[in-house]
Amino acid sequence: MPVSIQDVADRANVSISTVSRVLNRRNIVNAKTRQRVESAIRELGYSPNVFARGLMLRRSHILSLMLPDLHGEFYSEIIRGANARARELGYQLMISSVISKDDDGSELMTALGSHGLVDGLAIMISEVDDRTRDSLEKIQIPLVVLDGDIDGVEHDSVVIDQRKGAVALLRHLVNDCQVTRVVFVGGLVTNIDTMERLSAYREVMAEAKLPVGPDHVFHLDYQYDTAYELGEARVDQWAKQRVGVFAANDEMAAGLIDAAIAAGYSLPEDLAVVGFDDTRIAAMTRPRLTTVSVPMSNMGATAIDLLVQRLDDPEREPAKVTLESSLVVRESCGVK
Amino acid sequence: MPVSIQDVADRANVSISTVSRVLNRRNIVNAKTRQRVESAIRELGYSPNVFARGLMLRRSHILSLMLPDLHGEFYSEIIRGANARARELGYQLMISSVISKDDDGSELMTALGSHGLVDGLAIMISEVDDRTRDSLEKIQIPLVVLDGDIDGVEHDSVVIDQRKGAVALLRHLVNDCQVTRVVFVGGLVTNIDTMERLSAYREVMAEAKLPVGPDHVFHLDYQYDTAYELGEARVDQWAKQRVGVFAANDEMAAGLIDAAIAAGYSLPEDLAVVGFDDTRIAAMTRPRLTTVSVPMSNMGATAIDLLVQRLDDPEREPAKVTLESSLVVRESCGVK
DNA sequence: GCCGAGATTGGCAGCGCTTTCAGGTGATTA
DNA sequence: TAATCACCTGAAAGCGCTGCCAATCTCGGC
């Protein structure tokens, strides 16, 4: 059985109140007494019981990070950033993935370790539905939403200014890469990121007076394979006109590149392809991908910052931190 | 303030004992009473306070997963597997990365959320030092070691039979790929995986009566860049003899491939390169990498299984689960 | 030598929950 | 009719810790 505060008190010949005071760094304890207590703690290897403490303080120093998925570099980088920052600030990180669609919201609660376990929740939701909204609304702890927004629920947020990066990328494609037109390959229409990037696409197309026909916009699923298939079907047509292909993530861009090369085309001569996210893959394709770098781990870290800030000052106005994304030019679009 | 067991008891006109009994699925409660309690619970949206419960039961249903690093697909896959399984079994997962070298072990304790927070620990340590050993020895909770072993500390373990995969890979290289010799590019000599793979290398070389000279074994750092540099320096020599290069991970293999291609060689004609891990990268290099597939997410899931099994039966004999790795043949070594 | 302020310390009441232990029902049996 | 028993339920004792309140001690000042 683990050593309790009573054991320490006995050994130091004080009451448990005094031990508790020493523990909580109150300097209202006489220096000599404190030393006695401290060495008792050390000798016994005592560390306070988290449950008992949490029961009183209603604080666990655990933060929860919920992501739509745990697959891929994007999420793993968020976790990495969040974990490091949480550690720095003296918190633990609890990870969970996705609230499955067909859930009554109780899963979210369960994931939070029933009521009271975690001090705050950082959540990223790719597709918001009412049920999740409702559960989130009920939660009585600080909430930070990553890369999105949830109506009617008070929360802080970290967003990435994808638009700026996307616009820079598209302008680069349009102005510097001699393409006759640009096609967009995104995720589903329900996906927030996709729509954001699509809107940037439309904007720059309008700006450059380039056409946006029905066969210029494709909605896939962010996977390499489906992009590869699309590439197989379309690349002849695209290469003929030297189009620029704007894929909404690097995975799909890689799929498209590989399909083009498999079909005998050479890039960037016949086709310009650009991606998004600047994941490890972007530097691995041949030609290497021109893409937009998104500060993923920074986003994780910032989310934790916001959570802890609100924990320290619950009355603060809701904050929204915007992180910049930036153009990374490599060879896949034919410049440099 | 959140609703407590007392509120439920009041509403259902019973004592808290009865509510507690209903909660703990004891069927010793009269059906009618139970229903009354259950609807009170539902109406109030009650869920038990984890701390109070943990204080009594000494169980938190939280498991901790500690990894040497959170960077890269390898670890993110472990997390993914562990998370999914933990969820299935009704546990939460707490993630932390690395115990830094210059730490007195207290960091490990802190990471465990002081004493008592987590029910079990799954840990992966790339380089075991005494201090970590000592802290681990003190921990009074079930311990599962991933892909390694810690002397003198009782624990279950999940290991990957890298040797089998490595041997298969090397035999393939030696027997089917017409290489005149094989060089090994690994991580540091302190790295367990590297040494494991190196030993497989020596075995197969001996078997095939191929030389293993001092300029056949290189110790790098598992990074793309350093491998690329090594490639730049050595590729002329290697290509002349058509050597097979066995890189201890896919990243380095990719670096070597790119260096060779940048130097004007074509693969697999001039050089055969194989990797290890079968990460996303392996399918992205051109030529695509022949490598060894390692069941990463399965390793995470198995670790959780072992933890929970031991939690359920503390007296069980220490278990060691071995997961198989398997050869994945692609184009980088010249067959198929 | 005595008094009150300030510095320390101990006592004790919970925090919300589980878990004996004892008591209160009917129903069954002698 | 009284005794026995199986079934349920409530009362109360903590689990280990914090925080309020009161008790004690130490001095400086009169």
Side-chain angles (χ1 to χ4, degrees):
Chain A
M1 59 268 87
V3 7
S4 82
I5 197 173
Q6 184 65 60
D7 301 326
V8 177
D10 291 350
R11 178 161 193 129
N13 268 314
V14 293
S15 74
I16 60 167
S17 317
T18 302
V19 178
S20 174
R21 276 186 280 261
V22 171
L23 246 25
N24 297 306
R25 301 272 162 259
R26 301 259 187 113
N27 21 12
I28 49 172
V29 176
N30 181 291
K32 219 167 234 161
T33 319
R34 182 169 56 216
Q35 278 170 25
R36 206 141 34 91
V37 172
E38 278 165 350
S39 50
I41 290 179
R42 221 172 311 113
E43 288 159 25
L44 263 36
Y46 167 75
S47 81
N49 180 304
V50 217
F51 296 115
R53 196 172 231 180
L55 192 52
M56 284 302 299
L57 303 182
R58 279 139 200 307
R59 279 292 190 92
S60 63
H61 278 242
I62 299 177
L63 301 176
S64 172
L65 174 62
M66 296 193 72
L67 299 172
D69 188 2
L70 255 35
H71 209 279
E73 181 178 339
F74 193 86
Y75 300 116
S76 104
E77 282 296 290
I78 294 177
I79 293 177
R80 196 169 65 91
N83 180 71
R85 184 60 51 85
R87 264 296 195 62
E88 271 171 36
L89 299 176
Y91 284 79
Q92 297 297 314
L93 235 213
M94 212 141 80
I95 307 285
S96 2
S97 71
V98 86
I99 311 101
S100 56
K101 292 244 177 55
D102 39 41
D103 174 57
D104 62 351
S106 69
E107 194 176 331
L108 205 164
M109 301 305 283
T110 319
L112 288 175
S114 331
H115 105 230
L117 212 204
V118 306
D119 290 347
L121 168 64
I123 191 168
M124 178 161 177
I125 306 180
S126 47
E127 297 166 30
V128 186
D129 61 277
D130 288 350
R131 253 181 325 220
T132 342
R133 258 250 347 262
D134 292 349
S135 341
L136 250 22
E137 210 168 351
K138 290 206 200 75
I139 292 181
Q140 295 296 327
I141 54 174
L143 182 66
V144 170
V145 177
L146 304 192
D147 199 21
D149 194 15
I150 298 174
D151 289 341
V153 182
E154 186 169 305
H155 62 81
D156 296 316
S157 46
V158 203
V159 299
I160 289 180
D161 187 350
Q162 314 192 31
R163 173 165 273 279
K164 200 171 288 176
V167 166
L169 177 69
L170 283 157
R171 289 208 179 119
H172 172 70
L173 195 55
V174 166
N175 300 328
D176 310 332
C177 304
Q178 292 95 35
V179 297
T180 61
R181 60 185 55 193
V182 179
V183 307
F184 174 83
V185 180
L188 296 177
V189 290
T190 47
N191 184 291
I192 301 170
D193 294 337
T194 289
M195 296 321 281
E196 192 78 19
R197 291 165 201 182
L198 180 55
S199 131
Y201 165 75
R202 291 192 193 284
E203 178 186 324
V204 176
M205 290 308 103
E207 198 178 284
K209 304 205 173 21
L210 287 179
V212 178
D215 59 342
H216 284 64
V217 175
F218 302 88
H219 289 284
L220 307 183
D221 60 356
Y222 277 69
Q223 301 294 312
Y224 177 95
D225 290 334
T226 43
Y228 191 96
E229 286 166 23
L230 177 71
E232 283 179 322
R234 297 284 177 154
V235 72
D236 292 330
Q237 175 191 343
W238 290 342
K240 217 181 315 179
Q241 317 172 31
R242 193 182 148 74
V243 317
V245 182
F246 172 31
N249 73 346
D250 293 340
E251 279 271 334
M252 291 193 292
L256 293 167
I257 286 183
D258 289 345
I261 288 174
Y265 295 100
S266 64
L267 272 65
E269 292 76 14
D270 299 324
L271 200 64
V273 176
V274 297
F276 211 102
D277 291 345
D278 195 24
T279 53
R280 196 80 198 80
I281 293 168
M284 294 262 151
T285 58
R286 290 302 115 138
R288 300 182 309 153
L289 268 179
T290 287
T291 184
V292 173
S293 165
V294 176
M296 300 172 283
S297 84
N298 191 3
M299 180 156 75
T302 306
I304 299 300
D305 278 340
L306 286 175
L307 236 28
V308 174
Q309 280 167 29
R310 176 156 306 277
L311 247 15
D312 292 343
D313 172 16
E315 302 309 325
R316 201 189 48 163
E317 286 292 296
K320 177 168 178 171
V321 175
T322 302
L323 302 173
E324 297 298 321
S325 58
S326 61
L327 177 61
V328 177
V329 177
R330 296 207 181 82
E331 297 84 31
S332 71
C333 67
V335 178
K336 180 183 181 180
Chain B
M1 61 263 90
V3 7
S4 82
I5 197 173
Q6 184 67 60
D7 301 324
V8 177
D10 291 349
R11 179 163 193 124
N13 268 313
V14 294
S15 74
I16 59 168
S17 321
T18 303
V19 178
S20 173
R21 277 187 278 258
V22 171
L23 247 24
N24 298 306
R25 302 268 162 261
R26 301 259 186 115
N27 23 11
I28 50 172
V29 176
N30 181 291
K32 224 169 230 161
T33 319
R34 183 170 55 213
Q35 278 170 25
R36 209 143 30 90
V37 173
E38 278 167 350
S39 50
I41 291 179
R42 221 172 311 112
E43 288 158 26
L44 264 36
Y46 166 76
S47 80
N49 180 302
V50 215
F51 295 114
R53 195 171 232 182
L55 191 53
M56 284 301 301
L57 303 181
R58 284 147 194 302
R59 277 292 189 92
S60 63
H61 278 243
I62 299 177
L63 301 176
S64 172
L65 174 62
M66 298 193 72
L67 299 172
D69 189 1
L70 254 36
H71 208 280
E73 181 178 339
F74 193 86
Y75 300 116
S76 104
E77 281 297 290
I78 294 177
I79 292 177
R80 197 169 65 90
N83 179 71
R85 184 60 50 87
R87 263 294 195 64
E88 271 171 37
L89 300 176
Y91 284 78
Q92 297 296 313
L93 234 212
M94 210 140 83
I95 308 285
S96 4
S97 71
V98 86
I99 310 100
S100 56
K101 294 246 177 50
D102 37 42
D103 172 59
D104 64 350
S106 68
E107 193 176 330
L108 204 164
M109 300 305 281
T110 319
L112 288 177
S114 329
H115 106 228
L117 212 205
V118 306
D119 290 347
L121 169 64
I123 191 169
M124 178 162 176
I125 306 180
S126 46
E127 295 165 30
V128 186
D129 61 277
D130 288 349
R131 255 186 318 224
T132 343
R133 258 249 348 260
D134 291 350
S135 337
L136 249 23
E137 209 167 354
K138 289 206 199 76
I139 292 181
Q140 295 296 327
I141 54 173
L143 182 66
V144 170
V145 177
L146 304 192
D147 199 21
D149 195 13
I150 298 174
D151 288 342
V153 181
E154 187 169 304
H155 61 82
D156 296 317
S157 44
V158 202
V159 299
I160 289 180
D161 187 352
Q162 315 192 31
R163 172 166 273 277
K164 199 171 290 178
V167 166
L169 177 70
L170 284 157
R171 287 205 182 122
H172 172 70
L173 195 56
V174 165
N175 300 329
D176 311 332
C177 305
Q178 292 94 34
V179 298
T180 61
R181 60 184 56 191
V182 178
V183 307
F184 173 83
V185 181
L188 296 177
V189 290
T190 48
N191 183 292
I192 302 168
D193 293 336
T194 289
M195 296 320 281
E196 192 77 18
R197 292 164 200 183
L198 179 55
S199 130
Y201 165 76
R202 291 191 193 284
E203 178 186 324
V204 177
M205 290 308 103
E207 199 177 284
K209 303 207 171 27
L210 287 179
V212 178
D215 60 342
H216 284 63
V217 175
F218 302 88
H219 289 284
L220 307 182
D221 59 358
Y222 276 70
Q223 301 294 311
Y224 177 95
D225 291 335
T226 41
Y228 190 97
E229 286 166 23
L230 177 70
E232 283 179 320
R234 297 286 177 152
V235 72
D236 292 331
Q237 177 191 344
W238 289 342
K240 214 180 318 180
Q241 315 172 31
R242 193 182 148 73
V243 317
V245 183
F246 172 31
N249 72 347
D250 292 340
E251 279 271 334
M252 292 193 293
L256 293 167
I257 286 183
D258 289 345
I261 287 175
Y265 294 101
S266 64
L267 274 64
E269 293 75 15
D270 299 323
L271 200 65
V273 177
V274 298
F276 212 102
D277 289 344
D278 194 26
T279 54
R280 198 79 196 82
I281 292 168
M284 295 259 150
T285 57
R286 291 301 113 137
R288 300 182 309 153
L289 267 178
T290 287
T291 184
V292 173
S293 164
V294 176
M296 300 171 284
S297 83
N298 191 3
M299 181 155 75
T302 306
I304 300 300
D305 278 341
L306 287 175
L307 236 29
V308 174
Q309 279 168 29
R310 177 155 305 278
L311 246 16
D312 292 343
D313 173 15
E315 303 309 326
R316 200 189 47 166
E317 286 291 296
K320 177 168 179 173
V321 176
T322 302
L323 269 25
E324 296 299 321
S325 58
S326 61
L327 178 60
V328 177
V329 177
R330 295 206 183 83
E331 299 83 31
S332 71
C333 67
V335 177
K336 179 184 182 180

